[in-house]
Amino acid sequence: MNENVALRSALDKNLKSAVTTAFLMLPESFSEEDLFIEIAGLSYSGDFRMVVGEDKTKVLNIVKPNIAHFRELYGNILQENPQVVYKIQQGRLEIDKSPEGQFTQLMTLPKTLQQQINHIMDPPGKNRDVEETLLQVAHDPDCGEVVRLGLSAIVRPSSMKQSTKGIFTAGVKKSVVYSSLKLHKMWKGWLRKTS
């Protein structure tokens, strides 16, 4: 029973972190679909397979048929968040993009992401603390891009490790066949998009 409570708490925290991270990368006003696409795309940020080998519409294809499920999963979080105006009937959201609002959001990000942002923004020799760096980022017009860079720096190594492990586990021949099928699928998706 205690494990279920701890697990539920961790999952809730993870969902809230995903929402906050997406908020920082979106404009002041956006649709539910925009938000859900941003959230679903978090785990692909920095994944080199999304550049070569994956269908570029993969995240959209995950979100489009599952909007109702995303609403169910994130609805309470959005309604309870004091920084967002959630117009449920219109499927629109507005978020506080003031430096103060962004600083509040940055301070609730997972520590690993905060530290990665600090690492990106803190020039060698300065040694500012994380809070000072996040305050600077909150005032930066490119705040969302800085968050995206931090996220990419976290995702990239694990996606590389996963791909490398896949080659050794499956073998080179199977990996080449699998990769060529993925490239073919990516090419078909690209042709559909351009026609």
Side-chain angles (χ1 to χ4, degrees), residues 123-192:
K126 273 266 189 169
N127 296 326
R128 289 183 300 187
D129 67 5
V130 173
E131 191 172 329
E132 188 181 342
T133 301
L134 295 180
L135 185 59
Q136 174 198 347
V137 172
H139 285 81
D140 189 328
D142 294 325
C143 174
E145 286 309 307
V146 174
V147 172
R148 195 176 303 280
L149 283 172
L151 192 59
S152 293
I154 293 169
V155 173
R156 189 177 303 107
S158 66
S159 75
M160 293 290 277
K161 206 179 296 177
Q162 188 178 354
S163 294
T164 305
K165 194 185 291 183
I167 290 170
F168 290 112
T169 304
V172 176
K173 184 179 177 187
K174 282 184 181 176
S175 295
V176 169
V177 170
Y178 175 77
S179 297
S180 61
L181 290 171
K182 292 297 266 181
L183 286 169
H184 179 71
K185 187 175 178 182
M186 180 185 88
W187 180 252
K188 280 174 53 180
W190 183 78
L191 287 175
R192 269 194 318 270

Side-chain angles (χ1 to χ4, degrees), residues 111-127:
K111 295 289 180 225
T112 307
L113 182 50
Q114 289 179 345
Q115 291 166 347
Q116 193 61 50
I117 291 168
N118 188 51
H119 179 73
I120 291 167
M121 296 301 291
D122 191 26
K126 273 266 189 169
N127 296 326

Side-chain angles (χ1 to χ4, degrees), residues 3-180:
E3 285 181 20
N4 287 344
V5 170
L7 179 61
R8 183 74 249 165
S9 174
L11 289 172
D12 287 344
K13 188 174 181 181
N14 193 37
L15 292 173
K16 288 176 183 172
S17 293
V19 167
T20 302
T21 305
F23 281 169
L24 285 159
M25 295 187 291
L26 286 162
E28 191 172 354
S29 176
F30 48 91
S31 70
E32 282 177 322
E33 186 177 287
D34 293 335
L35 174 65
F36 301 147
I37 288 170
E38 198 67 59
I39 290 170
L42 292 176
S43 61
Y44 296 107
S45 296
D47 188 337
F48 78 97
R49 294 169 294 187
M50 289 304 287
V51 177
V52 176
E54 283 292 348
D55 181 354
K56 301 297 178 231
T57 60
K58 180 175 186 159
V59 175
L60 184 63
N61 293 339
I62 292 169
V63 173
K64 278 265 191 210
N66 294 299
I67 292 282
H69 297 295
F70 277 93
R71 264 190 213 118
E72 188 178 320
L73 197 57
Y74 293 101
N76 287 341
I77 294 169
L78 296 173
Q79 290 173 34
E80 293 167 7
N81 189 317
Q83 288 193 298
V84 69
V85 175
Y86 185 22
K87 301 173 182 173
I88 299 170
Q89 300 304 323
Q90 295 95 341
R92 302 282 311 163
L93 299 100
E94 292 173 8
I95 186 74
D96 180 4
K97 295 303 272 188
S98 70
E100 296 77 17
Q102 291 191 138
F103 181 65
T104 300
Q105 293 161 24
L106 288 163
M107 289 301 291
T108 62
L109 290 175
K111 295 289 180 225
T112 307
L113 182 50
Q114 289 179 345
Q115 291 166 347
Q116 193 61 50
I117 291 168
N118 188 51
H119 179 73
I120 291 167
M121 296 301 291
D122 191 26
K126 273 266 189 169
N127 296 326
R128 289 183 300 187
D129 67 5
V130 173
E131 191 172 329
E132 188 181 342
T133 301
L134 295 180
L135 185 59
Q136 174 198 347
V137 172
H139 285 81
D140 189 328
D142 294 325
C143 174
E145 286 309 307
V146 174
V147 172
R148 195 176 303 280
L149 283 172
L151 192 59
S152 293
I154 293 169
V155 173
R156 189 177 303 107
S158 66
S159 75
M160 293 290 277
K161 206 179 296 177
Q162 188 178 354
S163 294
T164 305
K165 194 185 291 183
I167 290 170
F168 290 112
T169 304
V172 176
K173 184 179 177 187
K174 282 184 181 176
S175 295
V176 169
V177 170
Y178 175 77
S179 297
S180 61

